[in-house]
Amino acid sequence: MFADYTMTELTSIFAMQGFAGLTLFSVFVLMALGLAIIFGQMGVINMAHGEFMILGAYTTYLTSNVFSSYLPESLYSLYFFVALILAFLAAGALGAFIEWAMIRHLYKRPLDTLLATWGLSLIMQQLYRTIFGPREVGVTLPDWLMGSIALTDMVEIPINGLFVMAITLVVAVGVGLTMQKSRLGKQTRAVVQNRPMASAVGINTARVDRLTFALGCGIAGIAGAAFTMIGSTGPTSGQLYIVDTFLVVVFGGASSLVGTIASAFTISQAQSTMEFFLSGSMAKVLTLLVVVGILMLRPQGLFSLKIRK
Amino acid sequence: MLELTDYNVAYGQSDVIRNMNLSVGDEEIVAVLGRNGMGKTTLMKSLIGMIPSKSGTVALNGVDLVPLQSYERVGAGVGFVPQGRMIFSTMTVKENIETGLTSTGKNDIPEDLYVMFPVLKEMQHRRGGNLSGGQQQQLAIARALASNPSVLLLDEPTEGIQPSIIKEMARTLRTIRDQRKLSIIVSEQVLSFALDVADRILVIEKGNIVLDVPVEEADQATITRYLSV
């Protein structure tokens, strides 16, 4: 399959597909970070995670509309930063509400959570369809995000992709610091390890659950905002990502944020590069086969902590 | 200080603690002895709120603990060191102690905890799960003390600990009591440790107190008879 291309062509194909993979990687990481917090830390399988992401995307869409209709044009270039914060808050607030109304009653029934959040995702999709219509919507990128940087004659790097990667980096570092250093992070880890004991040292576990779930959903909202940079938003766009995201989280080792990032990188790069040479579904089959194989050898995922059991 | 009146705890239909009445005084160390399955751990777990009680009251300095959840009881002044220590094994020593600070709202570990347990300062960046049994026990005690309790509950603290360290632990617990002016309830199977540490010895059998004596009057032979199978 490589025979039709010259060496320089191949190099630039790999470089550009690699970069496309990096953009995909960024969205994966943002999605998976939220999911890793909710699934890895709380053990809740949130099938509606994709819809929380889309909520962030629609929030971004609305913000860009408000900016273009009501605010002077000079401010438009800044809309994305406002949208990012609003997307985080909207998805986080909805997450906190859902945790209160639904999830907290289901902590001891993981399979029921799966069904309930699946139902939630259907409800949310229909709501989006009713409110925003079935057609996909897109945002107009501000000028400074358009275009690309030409590295060589054949290799071009799109600026919006770079920007999405920058956001991902900031969010990933922020989440890492939150989980490692902040009081909420330490309390979350204590609750994850031993819920009754965490309560017996003075941690309000119900409150920690709500904040953790809200944080995970809020990060999904940020993923949605970033998603508008590289694709258009429809009611069911979130579903396309949810399976891949679970794959990333399980492959990386559910309780390790570093593992999540490493596995997102591997999977997105493998897919993006193979998609160019093979068909999309063949690329997926190969990726899944490799992941299944590795998980059979290492059921705990790529990274896991070494401690006495 | 801590008052139990007509206290009952049950698992479903089977009563484990039956109509217990107990009063623990200020700065008193009480050892609760009894054979396996007589309700020691159940009593401890129900006092911290891990198991609900069936009826009766528990009051700590006049505050009714029964309707409170575990974390609220910690806020009210109960500290808990569980059987098997239950430290958070993937978290560092420092982080483990910090979880105990939650109810106080403070961020920094008080220096006197490290003075009391210097080994924890040395190991503060190690993961809790990689400590030895005795070190984990110290960590569990430090974590409980971080919330500034007025009564400290310890459930079988000597389990799985070397005999030489058990002696030292009795001394440490008495020092903690003297420095922090708190009351301690410790459940035990090892009689020598109980005699070393306590001011007062209780023996429970089938969920009832069958013996309640100051340690000076405790007769080893009588107690041993209760403890032997």
Side-chain angles (χ1 to χ4, degrees):
Chain A
M1 58 186 174
F2 298 139
D4 309 336
Y5 304 99
T6 65
M7 202 53 219
T8 43
E9 273 175 341
L10 269 182
T11 322
S12 33
I13 286 168
F14 274 112
M16 284 175 72
Q17 285 307 112
F19 188 80
L22 282 179
T23 320
L24 184 67
F25 159 70
S26 305
V27 177
F28 273 168
V29 166
L30 285 174
M31 279 282 280
L33 278 179
L35 207 63
I37 290 172
I38 293 171
F39 173 62
Q41 315 277 328
M42 304 168 76
V44 170
I45 298 178
N46 180 17
M47 296 297 291
H49 201 70
E51 279 63 42
F52 281 99
M53 161 175 145
I54 294 308
L55 178 67
Y58 276 123
T59 310
T60 311
Y61 166 70
L62 288 179
T63 315
S64 88
N65 278 1
V66 169
F67 266 75
S68 63
S69 327
Y70 300 105
L71 294 173
E73 208 168 305
S74 54
L75 285 178
Y76 189 74
S77 56
L78 295 175
Y79 91 89
F80 191 74
F81 296 100
V82 179
L84 210 58
I85 296 164
L86 288 178
F88 178 78
L89 292 179
L94 184 68
F97 171 73
I98 295 293
E99 201 276 347
W100 174 80
M102 192 170 95
I103 310 281
R104 72 182 166 128
H105 304 292
L106 300 172
Y107 280 125
K108 293 190 181 114
R109 295 145 64 188
L111 284 178
D112 296 0
T113 328
L114 194 75
L115 278 178
T117 50
W118 174 250
L120 177 69
S121 86
L122 294 181
I123 294 171
M124 287 171 77
Q125 281 176 27
Q126 188 52 47
L127 277 180
Y128 296 148
R129 209 171 278 129
T130 314
I131 298 170
F132 299 100
R135 234 185 254 169
E136 299 202 330
V137 296
V139 297
T140 322
L141 292 182
D143 291 337
W144 61 274
L145 281 174
M146 306 255 234
S148 56
I149 303 167
L151 285 186
T152 67
D153 287 345
M154 271 183 289
V155 182
E156 291 199 346
I157 303 285
I159 293 174
N160 56 1
L162 279 177
F163 185 64
V164 170
M165 282 166 59
I167 295 170
T168 308
L169 187 71
V170 171
V171 173
V173 170
V175 169
L177 285 178
T178 308
M179 294 314 284
Q180 287 305 317
K181 301 283 174 213
S182 78
R183 297 181 76 178
L184 174 66
K186 286 171 195 161
Q187 291 179 13
T188 311
R189 284 185 288 143
V191 173
V192 170
Q193 281 232 325
N194 190 333
R195 185 173 293 269
M197 195 57 228
S199 187
V201 296
I203 296 171
N204 182 347
T205 53
R207 181 176 155 272
V208 170
D209 285 338
R210 187 147 322 136
L211 288 176
T212 312
F213 197 82
L215 178 68
C217 291
I219 296 167
I222 294 182
F227 179 72
T228 60
M229 309 260 101
I230 54 171
S232 48
T233 309
T236 53
S237 310
Q239 273 205 320
L240 301 174
Y241 282 86
I242 190 73
V243 175
D244 283 338
T245 313
F246 267 114
L247 197 67
V248 165
V249 173
V250 175
F251 185 50
S255 54
S256 158
L257 292 181
V258 180
T260 302
I261 290 169
S263 93
F265 183 79
T266 323
I267 291 178
S268 58
Q269 285 299 327
Q271 288 221 12
S272 161
T273 319
M274 280 192 294
E275 264 171 20
F276 190 88
F277 297 104
L278 310 162
S279 68
S281 40
M282 202 56 206
K284 194 133 246 169
V285 168
L286 283 178
T287 322
L288 281 172
L289 273 180
V290 173
V291 168
V292 167
I294 293 178
L295 281 181
M296 283 171 85
L297 297 174
R298 263 188 85 81
Q300 71 276 37
L302 285 180
F303 290 74
S304 56
L305 291 175
K306 289 179 193 67
I307 45 148
R308 284 197 206 173
K309 283 272 171 349
Chain B
M1 152 107 247
L2 185 75
E3 298 275 350
L4 277 68
T5 3
D6 299 328
Y7 193 61
N8 279 284
V9 183
Y11 294 110
Q13 292 296 312
S14 78
D15 293 311
V16 182
I17 303 291
R18 294 171 194 171
N19 287 321
M20 186 178 278
N21 287 289
L22 172 64
S23 166
V24 178
D26 286 334
E27 297 180 44
E28 189 178 27
I29 302 184
V30 177
V32 179
L33 292 163
R35 276 178 283 141
N36 276 333
M38 289 299 152
K40 298 187 302 288
T41 295
T42 306
L43 176 65
M44 292 296 187
K45 281 191 168 173
S46 77
L47 287 178
I48 189 65
M50 281 180 168
I51 308 175
S53 59
K54 192 169 141 196
S55 61
T57 60
V58 185
L60 178 62
N61 297 322
V63 180
D64 183 14
L65 294 183
V66 173
L68 302 184
Q69 296 204 27
S70 294
Y71 77 91
E72 295 167 318
R73 294 185 190 210
V74 175
V78 186
F80 182 54
V81 180
Q83 187 171 21
R85 304 175 280 274
M86 303 287 168
I87 52 145
F88 304 116
S89 55
T90 58
M91 297 169 73
T92 65
V93 168
K94 184 159 172 275
E95 289 169 343
N96 264 282
I97 305 176
E98 282 167 349
T99 58
L101 290 171
T102 312
S103 65
T104 64
K106 291 197 191 96
N107 280 322
D108 299 314
I109 299 168
E111 200 52 38
D112 63 330
L113 277 181
Y114 282 141
V115 174
M116 204 172 291
F117 304 109
V119 69
L120 296 182
K121 177 145 203 166
E122 252 168 67
M123 306 233 164
Q124 55 177 320
H125 298 298
R126 285 247 228 136
R127 287 190 198 283
N130 294 339
L131 264 54
S132 74
Q135 291 163 345
Q136 289 191 358
Q137 186 63 265
Q138 299 185 26
L139 177 55
I141 295 174
R143 182 179 64 179
L145 288 177
S147 64
N148 268 329
S150 49
V151 58
L152 183 64
L153 312 172
L154 294 104
D155 193 5
E156 302 221 5
T158 59
E159 191 191 41
I161 308 275
Q162 291 176 41
S164 62
I165 300 183
I166 292 180
K167 275 257 173 226
E168 193 185 308
M169 194 152 66
R171 257 201 313 279
T172 314
L173 287 178
R174 295 191 75 93
T175 319
I176 290 170
R177 187 267 311 268
D178 296 340
Q179 284 182 359
R180 300 187 152 233
K181 315 280 179 217
L182 42 72
S183 311
I184 296 178
I185 305 178
V186 49
S187 85
E188 254 318 316
Q189 300 218 45
V190 180
L191 180 58
S192 60
F193 174 74
L195 293 172
D196 269 356
V197 73
D199 304 320
R200 184 172 148 206
I201 304 272
L202 296 180
V203 178
I204 59 172
E205 203 160 85
K206 294 186 183 147
N208 258 318
I209 298 173
V210 290
L211 184 78
D212 181 351
V213 288
V215 75
E216 304 82 39
E217 296 167 25
D219 172 36
Q220 286 220 28
T222 326
I223 298 172
T224 315
R225 217 169 33 247
Y226 280 116
L227 294 182
S228 55
V229 183

PDB file of all heavy atoms in Angstrom, chain B residues 27-49:
ATOM      1  N   GLU B  27     -11.093  12.331  79.894  1.00  0.00           N
ATOM      2  CA  GLU B  27      -9.717  11.846  79.985  1.00  0.00           C
ATOM      3  C   GLU B  27      -9.618  10.449  80.574  1.00  0.00           C
ATOM      4  O   GLU B  27      -8.661  10.118  81.269  1.00  0.00           O
ATOM      5  CB  GLU B  27      -8.851  12.818  80.799  1.00  0.00           C
ATOM      6  CG  GLU B  27      -8.738  14.175  80.154  1.00  0.00           C
ATOM      7  CD  GLU B  27      -7.876  15.125  80.972  1.00  0.00           C
ATOM      8  OE1 GLU B  27      -6.818  14.685  81.429  1.00  0.00           O
ATOM      9  OE2 GLU B  27      -8.288  16.287  81.141  1.00  0.00           O
ATOM     10  N   GLU B  28     -10.609   9.637  80.270  1.00  0.00           N
ATOM     11  CA  GLU B  28     -10.578   8.266  80.765  1.00  0.00           C
ATOM     12  C   GLU B  28     -10.220   7.331  79.604  1.00  0.00           C
ATOM     13  O   GLU B  28     -10.616   7.578  78.468  1.00  0.00           O
ATOM     14  CB  GLU B  28     -11.952   7.883  81.317  1.00  0.00           C
ATOM     15  CG  GLU B  28     -11.947   6.548  82.043  1.00  0.00           C
ATOM     16  CD  GLU B  28     -13.311   6.199  82.642  1.00  0.00           C
ATOM     17  OE1 GLU B  28     -14.346   6.656  82.111  1.00  0.00           O
ATOM     18  OE2 GLU B  28     -13.332   5.451  83.614  1.00  0.00           O
ATOM     19  N   ILE B  29      -9.422   6.296  79.917  1.00  0.00           N
ATOM     20  CA  ILE B  29      -9.156   5.279  78.894  1.00  0.00           C
ATOM     21  C   ILE B  29      -9.876   4.006  79.295  1.00  0.00           C
ATOM     22  O   ILE B  29      -9.635   3.462  80.370  1.00  0.00           O
ATOM     23  CB  ILE B  29      -7.639   4.995  78.744  1.00  0.00           C
ATOM     24  CG1 ILE B  29      -6.891   6.284  78.384  1.00  0.00           C
ATOM     25  CG2 ILE B  29      -7.407   3.940  77.664  1.00  0.00           C
ATOM     26  CD1 ILE B  29      -5.413   6.082  78.122  1.00  0.00           C
ATOM     27  N   VAL B  30     -10.798   3.578  78.434  1.00  0.00           N
ATOM     28  CA  VAL B  30     -11.585   2.395  78.729  1.00  0.00           C
ATOM     29  C   VAL B  30     -11.202   1.308  77.734  1.00  0.00           C
ATOM     30  O   VAL B  30     -11.169   1.552  76.528  1.00  0.00           O
ATOM     31  CB  VAL B  30     -13.096   2.694  78.593  1.00  0.00           C
ATOM     32  CG1 VAL B  30     -13.909   1.435  78.838  1.00  0.00           C
ATOM     33  CG2 VAL B  30     -13.504   3.790  79.543  1.00  0.00           C
ATOM     34  N   ALA B  31     -10.890   0.122  78.235  1.00  0.00           N
ATOM     35  CA  ALA B  31     -10.624  -1.005  77.341  1.00  0.00           C
ATOM     36  C   ALA B  31     -11.836  -1.915  77.345  1.00  0.00           C
ATOM     37  O   ALA B  31     -12.348  -2.269  78.404  1.00  0.00           O
ATOM     38  CB  ALA B  31      -9.390  -1.765  77.798  1.00  0.00           C
ATOM     39  N   VAL B  32     -12.314  -2.240  76.146  1.00  0.00           N
ATOM     40  CA  VAL B  32     -13.450  -3.154  76.016  1.00  0.00           C
ATOM     41  C   VAL B  32     -12.907  -4.512  75.595  1.00  0.00           C
ATOM     42  O   VAL B  32     -12.334  -4.647  74.515  1.00  0.00           O
ATOM     43  CB  VAL B  32     -14.452  -2.635  74.968  1.00  0.00           C
ATOM     44  CG1 VAL B  32     -15.614  -3.612  74.837  1.00  0.00           C
ATOM     45  CG2 VAL B  32     -14.946  -1.254  75.328  1.00  0.00           C
ATOM     46  N   LEU B  33     -13.061  -5.486  76.474  1.00  0.00           N
ATOM     47  CA  LEU B  33     -12.553  -6.822  76.162  1.00  0.00           C
ATOM     48  C   LEU B  33     -13.711  -7.750  75.862  1.00  0.00           C
ATOM     49  O   LEU B  33     -14.856  -7.492  76.233  1.00  0.00           O
ATOM     50  CB  LEU B  33     -11.770  -7.373  77.367  1.00  0.00           C
ATOM     51  CG  LEU B  33     -10.453  -6.670  77.699  1.00  0.00           C
ATOM     52  CD1 LEU B  33     -10.023  -7.022  79.109  1.00  0.00           C
ATOM     53  CD2 LEU B  33      -9.381  -7.058  76.705  1.00  0.00           C
ATOM     54  N   GLY B  34     -13.413  -8.822  75.186  1.00  0.00           N
ATOM     55  CA  GLY B  34     -14.450  -9.808  74.895  1.00  0.00           C
ATOM     56  C   GLY B  34     -13.950 -10.743  73.820  1.00  0.00           C
ATOM     57  O   GLY B  34     -13.027 -10.413  73.085  1.00  0.00           O
ATOM     58  N   ARG B  35     -14.564 -11.932  73.779  1.00  0.00           N
ATOM     59  CA  ARG B  35     -14.143 -12.888  72.763  1.00  0.00           C
ATOM     60  C   ARG B  35     -14.626 -12.466  71.384  1.00  0.00           C
ATOM     61  O   ARG B  35     -15.408 -11.526  71.251  1.00  0.00           O
ATOM     62  CB  ARG B  35     -14.698 -14.283  73.125  1.00  0.00           C
ATOM     63  CG  ARG B  35     -13.826 -15.025  74.094  1.00  0.00           C
ATOM     64  CD  ARG B  35     -14.460 -16.356  74.443  1.00  0.00           C
ATOM     65  NE  ARG B  35     -15.554 -16.165  75.397  1.00  0.00           N
ATOM     66  CZ  ARG B  35     -16.693 -16.845  75.347  1.00  0.00           C
ATOM     67  NH1 ARG B  35     -16.897 -17.726  74.398  1.00  0.00           N
ATOM     68  NH2 ARG B  35     -17.618 -16.647  76.247  1.00  0.00           N
ATOM     69  N   ASN B  36     -14.179 -13.181  70.374  1.00  0.00           N
ATOM     70  CA  ASN B  36     -14.646 -12.909  69.021  1.00  0.00           C
ATOM     71  C   ASN B  36     -16.155 -13.037  68.938  1.00  0.00           C
ATOM     72  O   ASN B  36     -16.742 -13.940  69.513  1.00  0.00           O
ATOM     73  CB  ASN B  36     -14.029 -13.916  68.039  1.00  0.00           C
ATOM     74  CG  ASN B  36     -12.664 -13.467  67.597  1.00  0.00           C
ATOM     75  OD1 ASN B  36     -12.379 -12.275  67.583  1.00  0.00           O
ATOM     76  ND2 ASN B  36     -11.817 -14.424  67.255  1.00  0.00           N
ATOM     77  N   GLY B  37     -16.785 -12.129  68.203  1.00  0.00           N
ATOM     78  CA  GLY B  37     -18.215 -12.242  67.953  1.00  0.00           C
ATOM     79  C   GLY B  37     -19.081 -11.762  69.100  1.00  0.00           C
ATOM     80  O   GLY B  37     -20.289 -11.980  69.112  1.00  0.00           O
ATOM     81  N   MET B  38     -18.455 -11.095  70.095  1.00  0.00           N
ATOM     82  CA  MET B  38     -19.245 -10.642  71.232  1.00  0.00           C
ATOM     83  C   MET B  38     -19.746  -9.207  71.027  1.00  0.00           C
ATOM     84  O   MET B  38     -20.437  -8.658  71.859  1.00  0.00           O
ATOM     85  CB  MET B  38     -18.426 -10.738  72.520  1.00  0.00           C
ATOM     86  CG  MET B  38     -18.198 -12.161  72.949  1.00  0.00           C
ATOM     87  SD  MET B  38     -19.779 -12.967  73.265  1.00  0.00           S
ATOM     88  CE  MET B  38     -19.373 -14.651  72.912  1.00  0.00           C
ATOM     89  N   GLY B  39     -19.334  -8.573  69.929  1.00  0.00           N
ATOM     90  CA  GLY B  39     -19.893  -7.260  69.606  1.00  0.00           C
ATOM     91  C   GLY B  39     -18.949  -6.085  69.747  1.00  0.00           C
ATOM     92  O   GLY B  39     -19.382  -4.939  69.678  1.00  0.00           O
ATOM     93  N   LYS B  40     -17.634  -6.352  69.938  1.00  0.00           N
ATOM     94  CA  LYS B  40     -16.700  -5.235  70.109  1.00  0.00           C
ATOM     95  C   LYS B  40     -16.642  -4.350  68.857  1.00  0.00           C
ATOM     96  O   LYS B  40     -16.821  -3.132  68.928  1.00  0.00           O
ATOM     97  CB  LYS B  40     -15.282  -5.757  70.414  1.00  0.00           C
ATOM     98  CG  LYS B  40     -15.149  -6.555  71.684  1.00  0.00           C
ATOM     99  CD  LYS B  40     -13.708  -6.871  71.992  1.00  0.00           C
ATOM    100  CE  LYS B  40     -12.988  -7.642  70.914  1.00  0.00           C
ATOM    101  NZ  LYS B  40     -13.393  -9.062  70.781  1.00  0.00           N
ATOM    102  N   THR B  41     -16.378  -4.997  67.729  1.00  0.00           N
ATOM    103  CA  THR B  41     -16.251  -4.229  66.485  1.00  0.00           C
ATOM    104  C   THR B  41     -17.577  -3.576  66.106  1.00  0.00           C
ATOM    105  O   THR B  41     -17.612  -2.420  65.664  1.00  0.00           O
ATOM    106  CB  THR B  41     -15.753  -5.142  65.350  1.00  0.00           C
ATOM    107  OG1 THR B  41     -14.429  -5.574  65.673  1.00  0.00           O
ATOM    108  CG2 THR B  41     -15.718  -4.416  64.030  1.00  0.00           C
ATOM    109  N   THR B  42     -18.674  -4.305  66.318  1.00  0.00           N
ATOM    110  CA  THR B  42     -19.992  -3.734  66.031  1.00  0.00           C
ATOM    111  C   THR B  42     -20.219  -2.473  66.853  1.00  0.00           C
ATOM    112  O   THR B  42     -20.707  -1.456  66.348  1.00  0.00           O
ATOM    113  CB  THR B  42     -21.083  -4.762  66.356  1.00  0.00           C
ATOM    114  OG1 THR B  42     -20.785  -5.957  65.658  1.00  0.00           O
ATOM    115  CG2 THR B  42     -22.443  -4.250  65.952  1.00  0.00           C
ATOM    116  N   LEU B  43     -19.848  -2.532  68.143  1.00  0.00           N
ATOM    117  CA  LEU B  43     -20.005  -1.356  69.001  1.00  0.00           C
ATOM    118  C   LEU B  43     -19.219  -0.180  68.441  1.00  0.00           C
ATOM    119  O   LEU B  43     -19.741   0.929  68.295  1.00  0.00           O
ATOM    120  CB  LEU B  43     -19.526  -1.697  70.421  1.00  0.00           C
ATOM    121  CG  LEU B  43     -19.540  -0.551  71.419  1.00  0.00           C
ATOM    122  CD1 LEU B  43     -20.969  -0.094  71.669  1.00  0.00           C
ATOM    123  CD2 LEU B  43     -18.881  -0.958  72.740  1.00  0.00           C
ATOM    124  N   MET B  44     -17.955  -0.429  68.079  1.00  0.00           N
ATOM    125  CA  MET B  44     -17.100   0.639  67.560  1.00  0.00           C
ATOM    126  C   MET B  44     -17.663   1.209  66.261  1.00  0.00           C
ATOM    127  O   MET B  44     -17.756   2.420  66.092  1.00  0.00           O
ATOM    128  CB  MET B  44     -15.697   0.089  67.281  1.00  0.00           C
ATOM    129  CG  MET B  44     -14.939  -0.298  68.520  1.00  0.00           C
ATOM    130  SD  MET B  44     -14.655   1.155  69.533  1.00  0.00           S
ATOM    131  CE  MET B  44     -13.599   0.501  70.768  1.00  0.00           C
ATOM    132  N   LYS B  45     -18.017   0.309  65.340  1.00  0.00           N
ATOM    133  CA  LYS B  45     -18.519   0.776  64.039  1.00  0.00           C
ATOM    134  C   LYS B  45     -19.823   1.540  64.196  1.00  0.00           C
ATOM    135  O   LYS B  45     -20.091   2.488  63.454  1.00  0.00           O
ATOM    136  CB  LYS B  45     -18.734  -0.423  63.104  1.00  0.00           C
ATOM    137  CG  LYS B  45     -17.455  -0.939  62.481  1.00  0.00           C
ATOM    138  CD  LYS B  45     -17.802  -1.928  61.381  1.00  0.00           C
ATOM    139  CE  LYS B  45     -16.604  -2.252  60.526  1.00  0.00           C
ATOM    140  NZ  LYS B  45     -16.911  -3.342  59.579  1.00  0.00           N
ATOM    141  N   SER B  46     -20.656   1.128  65.140  1.00  0.00           N
ATOM    142  CA  SER B  46     -21.918   1.844  65.286  1.00  0.00           C
ATOM    143  C   SER B  46     -21.685   3.202  65.943  1.00  0.00           C
ATOM    144  O   SER B  46     -22.404   4.158  65.661  1.00  0.00           O
ATOM    145  CB  SER B  46     -22.924   1.013  66.072  1.00  0.00           C
ATOM    146  OG  SER B  46     -22.608   1.061  67.447  1.00  0.00           O
ATOM    147  N   LEU B  47     -20.655   3.297  66.799  1.00  0.00           N
ATOM    148  CA  LEU B  47     -20.398   4.594  67.431  1.00  0.00           C
ATOM    149  C   LEU B  47     -19.918   5.632  66.415  1.00  0.00           C
ATOM    150  O   LEU B  47     -20.212   6.809  66.542  1.00  0.00           O
ATOM    151  CB  LEU B  47     -19.355   4.455  68.555  1.00  0.00           C
ATOM    152  CG  LEU B  47     -19.850   3.769  69.832  1.00  0.00           C
ATOM    153  CD1 LEU B  47     -18.737   3.649  70.852  1.00  0.00           C
ATOM    154  CD2 LEU B  47     -21.044   4.498  70.424  1.00  0.00           C
ATOM    155  N   ILE B  48     -19.177   5.177  65.381  1.00  0.00           N
ATOM    156  CA  ILE B  48     -18.719   6.137  64.369  1.00  0.00           C
ATOM    157  C   ILE B  48     -19.771   6.294  63.267  1.00  0.00           C
ATOM    158  O   ILE B  48     -19.673   7.178  62.408  1.00  0.00           O
ATOM    159  CB  ILE B  48     -17.336   5.713  63.796  1.00  0.00           C
ATOM    160  CG1 ILE B  48     -16.735   6.819  62.909  1.00  0.00           C
ATOM    161  CG2 ILE B  48     -17.403   4.420  63.018  1.00  0.00           C
ATOM    162  CD1 ILE B  48     -16.397   8.086  63.621  1.00  0.00           C
ATOM    163  N   GLY B  49     -20.806   5.445  63.288  1.00  0.00           N
ATOM    164  CA  GLY B  49     -21.897   5.630  62.335  1.00  0.00           C
ATOM    165  C   GLY B  49     -21.764   4.813  61.064  1.00  0.00           C
ATOM    166  O   GLY B  49     -22.457   5.067  60.088  1.00  0.00           O
TER     167      GLY B  49
END
